[in-house]
Amino acid sequence: MTNHAEDFSLAAALRATEGWDDPDDLVDDLDTDPTADRADRADRADRADRADDDDWESGYADDVALSDPTTGDLDLAARHELRRVAGLRTELEDITEVEYRQLRLERVVLVGVWTEGTVADVENAMAELALLAETAGSEVLDAIYQRRQSPDPATYIGRGKVEGLREIVEATGADTVICDGELAPSQLRNLEDRVKVKVVDRTALILDIFAQHAKSKEGQAQVELAQLNYMKQRLRGWGGNLSRQAGGRAAGGDGIGGRGPGETKIETDRRRINDRIAKLRRELKVMKGTRDTKRQERRRNQVPSVAIAGYTNAGKSSLLNRLTGAGVLVEDALFATLDPTTRRTQTPDGRVYTMSDTVGFVRHLPHQLVEAFRSTLEEVADADLIVHVVDGSHPDPEGQISAVREVLAEIEAGDIPELVIINKVDAADPLVIDRLRRREPHSVAVSAKTGEGIAEAIAAVEADLPRPRVEFTALVPYARGDLIDRIHKDGEITALEHTADGTHVTGRATEALAGELADFAV
């Protein structure tokens, strides 16, 4: 058996390379090359198809940083994967579509009552309610509001407005009505009876958002506690299922087998809710003990703490990422982050302090949330400095400032030193920024997105940190380098000189550190 090599032909080899730069030329040449046989034509067409399939871009030309994703990036991706899509519905048009069943957005109509303020105030309030509804996973179809001295005690809005609301619901096909206020159980029931769709109030809407975004065990327990406290007062609005389980004539003639324990359904539900509330409070008490232990450790070491507070979606998490590189979740949505995040950072001269991101505030923040999140809000109440972040691009930044300070006063944090940081200057009106700077003299204008003003903000935070109280002058031997390191971390150095006998240092220190430096005082 012998090996037989095919005769080499330069013309055939050149024809094989034709069309490599442009796949379309391979096909075009088939019609112009008279020497191509059937096999050659098939080979060229096959290579043209493969070239078309391989026409892709690697993406390396894009200006994207090839780095590991942060925990915030992963959380945001997971949240978007669960986002419900508008226009898709659960109803099946054909039995063959059972495998393609999809979730749908709730279609809602917003209702508000205007009791005080200007037209701009009520429009801002309705716009905020629309953002809350969209964050909760709804599609806003329409919004109405009514000017009244006080909400109607029976239906929240007047009789004529109820009829108009019912017509809007029927015309738009809405399945939910959201009211901009906290409604009594009777108001909810009366509205549902007349409008014939589900009615929720502002408090239930915010609780629903918190339930979606709570991730930690403590945050989920706090949200559940707030929801149960809200639900317990509204059991009477659940309809006729709460009738007494009685027998005999009281049971409508059911007779034998119809006699119950004598406890009403509403009493059974309320008892179970109370039991669950008691259990959640015990669990939160244990979690609070863990948080207090960590806080006491920082107090023992006298580490200054800075709390970032502000209105929801003002850019607190973005600012924390910019100042400390925390990598927490950032999303253009209301109440995007609920779980507090604390990061350790330091000043250029080596002083260590902590910076904590807290839950956002909102006007008329439900009382149940303030009570449930009190242990989390203690991070703000126990801070040495509050960084109050304000959205400079919001239509009513002054209203946001007032709403945040009301909550700070409620949690007894009104006397803590405050630094106002006006965020989003890249999207804000310069005249509004100037107005806010005049209103708040102790403020800094920044953009957490572009980095503008961040250096000035860091300098302002460090200037407002509590300073060590005890002044000292010491000659520390070189063998005690640990003391010099602690002075850098926990103290403030005014002058430092290396001599033949040791390090001559002057500055301010905490009482505990000053006591250790007393042996080397000069």
Side-chain angles (χ1 to χ4, degrees):
M1 181 175 180
T2 59
N3 294 330
H4 175 70
E6 296 180 0
D7 295 337
F8 175 78
S9 173
L10 179 60
L14 291 177
R15 284 199 305 270
T17 61
E18 291 176 358
W20 284 9
D21 294 334
D22 188 357
D24 294 335
D25 292 342
L26 287 171
V27 180
D28 295 337
D29 290 343
L30 295 178
D31 300 329
T32 60
D33 189 358
T35 63
D37 56 11
R38 180 178 300 176
D40 196 5
R41 291 171 181 270
D43 179 68
R44 293 191 193 186
D46 181 67
R47 284 189 285 114
D49 292 339
R50 290 199 304 269
D52 285 336
D53 293 339
D54 294 337
D55 189 16
W56 61 281
E57 295 181 0
S58 66
Y60 285 105
D62 297 335
D63 188 15
V64 178
L66 299 178
S67 58
D68 294 334
T70 63
T71 56
D73 296 334
L74 297 176
D75 292 341
L76 184 61
R79 182 174 297 179
H80 284 174
E81 287 175 359
L82 297 177
R83 183 73 67 187
R84 288 174 286 184
V85 182
L88 301 180
R89 61 183 186 273
T90 57
E91 290 81 6
L92 299 180
E93 296 179 355
D94 187 83
I95 192 62
T96 59
E97 299 178 4
V98 69
E99 297 296 333
Y100 304 98
R101 185 176 297 183
Q102 299 287 346
L103 293 172
R104 71 169 181 179
L105 294 174
E106 284 190 78
R107 300 162 60 85
V108 302
V109 175
L110 309 180
V111 178
V113 172
W114 174 25
T115 58
E116 59 183 5
T118 63
V119 176
D121 293 335
V122 69
E123 289 180 350
N124 290 335
M126 297 303 293
E128 180 179 279
L129 185 65
L131 291 177
L132 287 171
E134 292 175 356
T135 303
S138 302
E139 179 185 0
V140 179
L141 302 179
D142 204 345
I144 61 172
Y145 56 85
Q146 183 182 29
R147 173 69 171 179
R148 295 179 62 92
Q149 292 183 349
S150 62
D152 185 76
T155 58
Y156 183 67
I157 53 178
R159 181 184 306 173
K161 215 63 173 178
V162 171
E163 295 300 323
L165 176 62
R166 184 174 59 82
E167 294 176 357
I168 292 176
V169 168
E170 293 177 353
T172 58
D175 49 30
T176 305
V177 172
I178 300 178
C179 298
D180 189 24
E182 186 170 352
L183 274 62
S186 59
Q187 292 175 320
L188 287 171
R189 185 177 64 251
N190 292 336
L191 268 180
E192 287 183 347
D193 290 342
R194 301 186 185 186
V195 181
K196 306 302 182 184
V197 295
K198 181 176 66 175
V199 178
V200 297
D201 59 7
R202 179 187 177 88
T203 302
L205 177 62
I206 295 177
L207 288 174
D208 184 79
I209 297 173
F210 272 56
Q212 292 182 40
H213 292 177
K215 187 177 66 172
S216 67
K217 184 177 180 181
E218 183 178 11
Q220 292 173 350
Q222 289 169 331
V223 172
E224 185 179 357
L225 177 61
Q227 288 178 320
L228 291 176
N229 283 324
Y230 173 83
M231 187 186 305
K232 184 174 66 173
Q233 306 300 325
R234 288 161 176 79
L235 290 178
R236 57 176 295 185
W238 285 6
N241 293 330
L242 309 181
S243 59
R244 180 174 295 276
Q245 301 173 4
R249 295 179 180 177
D254 286 344
I256 298 175
R259 296 180 177 86
E263 184 179 33
T264 61
K265 183 68 164 56
I266 190 172
E267 291 170 349
T268 304
D269 291 338
R270 185 175 289 119
R271 174 169 49 80
R272 291 176 177 174
I273 289 177
N274 287 332
D275 292 342
R276 181 60 181 167
I277 288 176
K279 182 179 179 181
L280 287 173
R281 285 177 174 167
R282 289 194 299 267
E283 294 176 355
L284 288 173
K285 186 176 181 181
V286 175
M287 299 176 191
K288 182 178 182 297
T290 303
R291 186 181 297 277
D292 290 342
T293 301
K294 296 179 181 179
R295 193 178 297 122
Q296 288 173 3
E297 183 68 16
R298 295 197 296 264
R299 290 175 181 169
R300 186 176 66 83
N301 295 326
Q302 298 187 9
V303 178
S305 61
V306 178
I308 302 178
Y311 211 81
T312 179
N313 205 31
K316 299 181 296 300
S317 299
S318 300
L319 185 64
L320 178 68
N321 290 342
R322 178 68 71 169
L323 295 179
T324 66
V328 298
L329 183 145
V330 173
E331 184 180 11
D332 186 14
L334 304 184
F335 299 114
T337 52
L338 301 182
D339 303 312
T341 302
T342 301
R343 290 293 183 267
R344 176 189 176 103
T345 184
Q346 62 181 12
T347 63
D349 59 359
R351 289 188 60 201
V352 175
Y353 64 97
T354 62
M355 185 166 288
S356 301
D357 181 20
T358 60
V359 62
F361 302 148
V362 71
R363 66 179 184 90
H364 307 314
L365 189 67
H367 182 71
Q368 294 91 340
L369 284 176
V370 177
E371 288 298 321
F373 279 77
R374 185 165 293 277
S375 60
T376 300
L377 296 176
E378 286 178 358
E379 291 287 347
V380 181
D382 293 339
D384 297 302
L385 173 67
I386 294 177
V387 174
H388 184 173
V389 183
V390 182
D391 183 359
S393 63
H394 192 269
D396 184 22
E398 289 86 357
Q400 289 191 348
I401 294 175
S402 301
V404 170
R405 286 176 175 166
E406 287 179 4
V407 180
L408 292 177
E410 187 175 353
I411 62 176
E412 300 178 356
D415 297 332
I416 299 176
E418 179 187 35
L419 170 65
V420 177
I421 292 186
I422 306 170
N423 193 21
K424 304 183 183 180
V425 296
D426 56 313
D429 187 350
L431 296 178
V432 176
I433 301 299
D434 293 339
R435 187 182 74 215
L436 292 175
R437 294 293 298 269
R438 290 194 301 269
R439 184 179 186 272
E440 303 291 339
H442 189 51
S443 61
V444 181
V446 305
S447 172
K449 181 178 180 180
T450 64
E452 178 184 353
I454 294 297
E456 183 181 356
I458 294 176
V461 170
E462 295 171 354
D464 289 347
L465 289 176
R467 301 180 60 190
R469 292 178 293 179
V470 182
E471 297 183 357
F472 71 91
T473 301
L475 182 63
V476 182
Y478 289 118
R480 295 302 307 275
D482 59 312
L483 287 179
I484 300 297
D485 181 64
R486 289 186 56 191
I487 294 173
H488 279 287
K489 291 181 178 179
D490 304 332
E492 184 177 316
I493 296 177
T494 305
L496 186 145
E497 181 183 1
H498 298 289
T499 65
D501 299 326
T503 304
H504 188 274
V505 58
T506 302
R508 305 169 68 91
T510 62
E511 295 181 359
L513 182 56
E516 297 186 38
L517 292 172
D519 297 337
F520 309 105
V522 294

